[in-house]
Each structure stands twice: as C-alpha cells, then as structure tokens.
Amino acid sequence: MTLLGAHRTARTPLDRAPVGAKLAALALLGVAVVATRGVPAALVLLGVAVAAAAVAALPPRPTLRGLLPVLVTALLAGAYQAWARGPGPAVEVVADLLTLVLGAAVVTATTPADRLLDALARAARPLRRVGVPPDLVALAVALVLRSVPEIARTVHEVRDAARARGVERDPRVWLTPAVLRVVGRARDLGEALAARGIVD
C-alpha cells in the first residue's frame, strides 16, 4: 500500500532502522520546523523530508496522490498568508506543512503498525502516573493513522463524483460533502467506542 498513513513492505535502510530512532527523528524534525524561521530554513527541512522519502523508496506518483489533500490545504493556508503577510510567510507555511506530513508518511510507510503502536505504548507508560492509560494513547494514534488513508480516499471519491458532473473546479462542490462524510464517520466511530466502554 502506498497511501499516506499505510505501511508498505520494502527493504530500505529506513525499514530496518529502530522504531524509536525513527520516532525521535520525526520529533526532532517537528521541533526544527517550529523553532526555525525563514524561507531558506523551511526549504532545507522540506529537502530533508524529500530525501528521507527517497531513501525509503516511496513511489512518487502514489505518494503525490496521497499528499494531494494536504497540498490543497497547504496552498489555501499559503494563499491566506500571502494576502495577510506576504509571499515569504506563505512559502514557509506551505513548506512546513508538507515537511511534517511527508516526514510522518515516511515513518508510517517504513514501520509496521503493530511495532509502531508497541513503541508508542512503551513511551507513554510514564503518563500512567497522571491517569492517562498508555494503551488508550496507542489506540488514539492507531485511529489517527487509520484515518489518514480513509480521509484521502473519501476526498478522491467525492472529487471523482464532482469531476463526473463537470463541477470539480468549484472547491465548495466537493469539499463540503467530503468534510461532512469525514465528520460523520468520526462521530460514528466515537459512538461505537463509547458503546463498548473504551472511551467516555
């Protein structure tokens, strides 16, 4: 599988790397994105994420297709920043969003979900002292990872339907039903978990 948020089988150095090391690298990348300012730094970090995707041998076309919803969101945020603050902050916002999502995609594509969740549950054990169950943290992360490809698939389906009607150029036509379907599924999932006593 090559959609974002889904593991695919391969034998690259990143597939063989320890899960903890990959999560630590992703955390450092996130800190660097937040802590650094300016277009050059944002483009360098985006280059690092692209290089990691190349080392992980992520197939370009499916990866770009999976990134499309994020790219649309980033461009909308960038357009607002260009209007409000100028072109520099706009480029920085787009590059930062793509860097974070592509970095997370590299980790999930090169790590089986069970190993990733086990590592997260171990890392969350100290939270038990403040009343947060580590297994619940792992479950939340699992749901997020499962939701990413589901959201991408929903957006593709709605856009294909809009394209068939010849109205895909108007974002309101496909974005509104896509958001409603995603929110509806999230509500159904929350009710199912609450009915089983998994969450309150």
Side-chain angles (χ1 to χ4, degrees):
M1 293 183 70
T2 53
L3 284 174
L4 299 181
H7 173 251
R8 55 93 182 97
T9 303
R11 295 184 177 181
T12 70
L14 285 177
D15 288 275
R16 294 190 294 270
V19 180
K22 286 185 280 190
L23 290 176
L26 180 60
L28 287 176
L29 182 64
V31 170
V33 166
V34 173
T36 57
R37 290 288 181 270
V39 173
L43 294 180
V44 167
L45 292 174
L46 179 58
V48 170
V50 172
V55 172
L58 297 188
R61 291 186 60 138
T63 301
L64 286 175
R65 203 163 45 242
L67 277 174
L68 187 58
V70 179
L71 184 59
V72 171
T73 303
L75 290 177
L76 289 175
Y80 173 76
Q81 290 295 326
W83 172 76
R85 299 171 58 196
V91 173
E92 191 175 348
V93 165
V94 173
D96 286 349
L97 285 173
L98 292 179
T99 298
L100 292 173
V101 174
L102 189 55
V106 169
V107 173
T108 56
T110 58
T111 311
D114 55 344
R115 290 178 55 199
L116 182 60
L117 296 179
D118 288 343
L120 289 171
R122 287 195 299 272
R125 282 176 185 167
L127 296 177
R128 193 188 299 276
R129 298 178 181 175
V130 294
V132 178
D135 292 340
L136 190 58
V137 174
L139 174 62
V141 174
L143 292 176
V144 170
L145 294 177
R146 183 72 181 98
S147 298
V148 172
E150 286 292 331
I151 292 173
R153 185 173 60 83
T154 298
V155 171
H156 284 303
E157 288 176 355
V158 175
R159 289 199 69 181
D160 286 344
R163 188 177 296 112
R165 301 198 308 270
V167 293
E168 76 278 8
R169 292 183 180 278
D170 186 352
R172 294 172 301 178
V173 173
W174 57 269
L175 192 57
T176 300
V179 170
L180 291 176
R181 288 175 62 177
V182 170
V183 171
R185 288 178 180 172
R187 185 189 60 190
D188 294 342
L189 179 61
E191 291 176 350
L193 292 174
R196 289 162 175 78
I198 298 176
V199 296
D200 293 329

